Structures are given as C-alpha cells and as structure tokens.
Amino acid sequence: MMRLLLLAFALAFPACAAPPRHIVSLNLCADQFLIRLADPGQITGLTRLSHMPNMSPIAAEAARFPTVGSSAEALLAAQPDLILTGWPGQADPALRAGLHTRILVVPPANNYADIVGQVRLVANAVGHPDRGEALIRHMDAALAAIPKEGRGRIAADYQRHGYLSGAGTLMDDMMTRVGLRNLTTQLGLPMLAHLSLEQFVAHRPDFLITGTGKARDLGSAMIDHPAIADIPRLRLPGSLADCGGPSYPQAIRLLADQLRQKR
C-alpha cells in the first residue's frame, strides 16, 4: 500500500514541472526530506517541532528557517506553491479558504524501502531528483558499513501501558537491520501488540529498546518496574525512532554501537 501511494503521488508531480520556489512542511517527518533535498531559498517554513532537539534530528539545521503553523491563516500568509503534509486533508482548511497550491502527502515509512521511495518522491517534487539519488547512495553506503551486532538475540520495543511495535513497523525493520529478532514476531503478535507486565516477564527478551528520557507518568513508569529493570537497555531517542527518513542510518548506527558494547 505504501509503495502504491508513493507511485500515485510521484505521477502527480512530473519531473518536467517547474521547481517550486516557496515550500512549506506541515509534518515533522517531511521536515527532514525538505532540509536534505531542497535549496535553502526554496524553504518558506517548517513545523515548530523541527526546532526541538528532542523531537527532530535536524533541529540545529532547521533553526535557520522560520516555522509555519497549519492554520488556514498561517498558510494564506505564507503563500507556498508546494506544501508537504503527513496525511491527506491536512491542508484542506487553507484550500477551502482560497489558497491555490500543490499538496504532496509524504506517508509514514514502515521500512527502509519506504524511505528510499519517499526520498525520490520529495526530490522529484522539489525539482532535485539527482540530489535524491545522491542521498540514497549515501544512505546505502552508510548502512552497508554497519555490522549486524544483534547476532539473533531478541529485543522488544516495550512502550507505555505495555504496547509493543510488531512486524511491519519501522522499529521492527530497525531491529532486523541490526540483526535482532523482535519479541512480537517470535510470539506471533500483530503490528501493534500488547503484553501485560507479567506476560512480558514470562517471555523476557535479551534487550529492551527505550527512549532516552525518564518516565513521566504511570503509563511509562512500568518500563522501569523492578521485575524488568535488569534487562539491558538500548536507548534510541524519539527524534530518531519516530520518523523514517535521512536520519535512518544514524538510528541504525546508534543501535549497533550499543549492541557492540553489550556482547
């Protein structure tokens, strides 16, 4: 489905179209692609989240660009000729208010192949397809240099309230990339699975993948429960875990480096 969506949007943005001059991103994940693929002079605005280091891996680079809200008023004031969104309909209020512009939906990535498709999609839309191919070659080379340090050991992305990322998710793809096996796959659980603390203890994995911050509420505090507190942690900040994109090799390198230290 993801690849069909990417193909449909690519056909809507033929390479012969004039490159846009004023581009706005309304999606945190799309911010990355815009920074990497567009000329600085083409970028009219990014999301507010792009300036937050705990949310965005390109916060330092994004700080030089203004942020733009998703309200009809904000977009009418910015007058972009291309808007990157995360889902269909996100910019509809501005269109109904009279904004005439192109919309490119950058759907969420569930694996590296999706990310490659997104790079080509955005590179074509912003008028720099060659830059997109260069970025793909760079990512391919970076990933090829990262060894599979997991050695078949089992890991779990155990989240607040006991939810886990299963097969078909970006986190599952990251685990496979570094040579880990996903606990949910071993148990035959769906893409979004749930295990009680007791069940999790019974199926104890070799590693627990978590964020870098401390528990902020009861839902996330269970990750630090004494019953599982001694399970080795692989720390992956949300800025690298939440979005697929050009930062994907950085996330894989971080996981591999931690695994190498835990042999």
Side-chain angles (χ1 to χ4, degrees), residues 177-226:
R177 178 75 59 172
V178 295
L180 292 169
R181 291 183 294 162
N182 194 339
L183 176 64
T184 60
T185 303
Q186 306 305 304
L187 299 179
L189 298 175
M191 179 182 290
L192 181 60
H194 180 271
L195 285 178
S196 68
L197 183 62
E198 293 78 12
Q199 291 173 312
F200 192 79
V201 170
H203 298 289
R204 185 182 184 85
D206 298 303
F207 299 105
L208 181 59
I209 299 177
T210 67
T212 55
K214 294 182 179 180
R216 294 177 296 178
D217 53 37
L218 291 176
S220 55
M222 64 182 298
I223 299 173
D224 294 322
H225 192 280

Side-chain angles (χ1 to χ4, degrees), residues 5-6 18 28 31 46 56 78 93 108 137 151 197 218 251-252:
L5 283 172
L6 290 174
L28 175 64
D31 290 333
L46 304 171
S56 171
R137 290 193 297 271
R151 295 183 293 151
L197 183 62
L218 291 176
I252 300 304

